[in-house]
Amino acid sequence: MNNWTQRWDDRYSNEEFAYGEEPNNYLKEQIQKLKPSAILFPAEGEGRNAIFAAKLGWNVSAFDISEEGKNKALKLAEANNVSIDYQVGELKTLDFKEEQFDVIALIYAHFPAEIKSEIHKQLDQLLRKDGIIIFEAFSKKHLEYLALNDKVGGPKDIESLFSIEEIKSDFPNYEIIELEEKEIELNEGLFHNGTGSVIRFIGRKK
């Protein structure tokens, strides 16, 4: 896992924001339909989505394995006059509590393939009954798009990408409000630019 941490520290150590300072479009659209409460952003990187939520009045927690990501996020929070609880480390080592959150927002939270389903199950424990998952990440079909344009970003191995079946399997105890594979245009900072294929999921915990 150390190479993994190093990779993200390197990406986030530049002055410029890797994925920009604006929130992800899908997150922005979905979060504004909900009443602000307690929200968690896993793999939150430089904080663009967490800061947006905090500005809307949400009680925001976030985590990532990258200390550099946290530094950038706290700087962005300060620039926007908001505060967030941002922890660094692997999920199982952090002090979040069962049923602590009303919403969990997984936005391009591509964990290493061998642990991604396990992390989804751990996150499920942190969500209250009737809580909402907001999810957008690259689909397995995205490799075709990546082959045409590497500026669109995303993992290069199929196991780290998502399918509709995987989401159903990882979140079995959810009412599916939306679950689709979709081609979208991305324009997010330095590393998400062009046409890609994503899975989008909104689920309510039963």
Side-chain angles (χ1 to χ4, degrees):
M1 291 294 275
N2 290 347
N3 290 348
W4 186 249
T5 307
Q6 189 62 51
R7 179 190 163 195
W8 292 106
D9 276 342
D10 290 347
R11 176 157 290 189
Y12 297 145
S13 62
N14 297 322
E15 195 160 323
E16 206 168 335
F17 279 69
Y19 302 102
E21 296 178 37
E22 294 302 313
N24 169 266
N25 285 336
Y26 189 60
L27 180 273
K28 185 176 178 181
E29 178 191 306
Q30 296 300 326
I31 201 176
Q32 295 191 84
K33 298 176 184 175
L34 303 170
K35 186 165 164 276
S37 48
I39 188 168
L40 175 65
F41 289 90
E44 175 52 7
E46 299 167 318
R48 64 194 175 109
N49 297 308
I51 284 17
F52 178 75
K55 284 163 74 177
L56 292 178
W58 288 76
N59 176 7
V60 177
S61 298
F63 71 89
D64 201 282
I65 52 166
S66 170
E67 199 69 55
E68 294 286 352
K70 177 183 178 176
N71 294 341
K72 293 274 273 295
L74 296 183
K75 209 178 282 183
L76 191 60
E78 193 179 332
N80 283 278
N81 297 313
V82 293
S83 64
I84 59 172
D85 165 39
Y86 195 123
Q87 298 184 38
V88 173
E90 290 179 50
L91 179 55
K92 59 181 181 288
T93 68
L94 307 177
D95 62 356
F96 298 121
K97 298 179 178 53
E98 282 196 15
E99 300 186 4
Q100 184 177 340
F101 299 102
D102 302 291
V103 179
I104 295 178
L106 288 151
I107 305 297
Y108 297 95
H110 286 279
F111 297 101
E114 65 276 12
I115 60 169
K116 66 179 186 176
S117 287
E118 183 192 325
I119 287 181
H120 285 168
K121 292 181 171 78
Q122 290 171 13
L123 289 170
D124 171 65
Q125 304 290 305
L126 305 180
L127 193 64
R128 295 182 186 131
K129 185 179 180 298
D130 294 323
I132 298 283
I133 296 264
I134 302 173
F135 179 101
E136 180 177 279
F138 291 117
S139 80
K140 293 192 184 298
K141 197 176 165 191
H142 182 68
L143 285 182
E144 297 167 26
Y145 294 83
L146 197 51
L148 297 171
N149 169 26
D150 66 0
K151 289 187 170 55
V152 72
K156 293 181 168 64
D157 62 304
I158 199 152
E159 291 79 18
S160 296
L161 300 165
F162 294 97
S163 67
I164 283 176
E165 293 69 36
E166 275 181 355
I167 296 300
K168 285 180 175 171
S169 164
D170 285 359
F171 300 104
N173 54 328
Y174 284 71
E175 173 201 340
I176 295 171
I177 296 166
E178 179 172 280
L179 178 56
E180 63 172 349
E181 185 167 9
K182 189 170 179 161
E183 180 179 289
I184 66 165
E185 291 298 318
L186 282 162
N187 179 17
E188 300 185 324
L190 303 172
F191 292 101
H192 275 177
N193 291 289
T195 308
S197 175
V198 299
I199 302 287
R200 287 176 163 176
F201 171 54
I202 305 289
R204 186 189 307 278
K205 188 173 177 179
K206 291 177 183 170

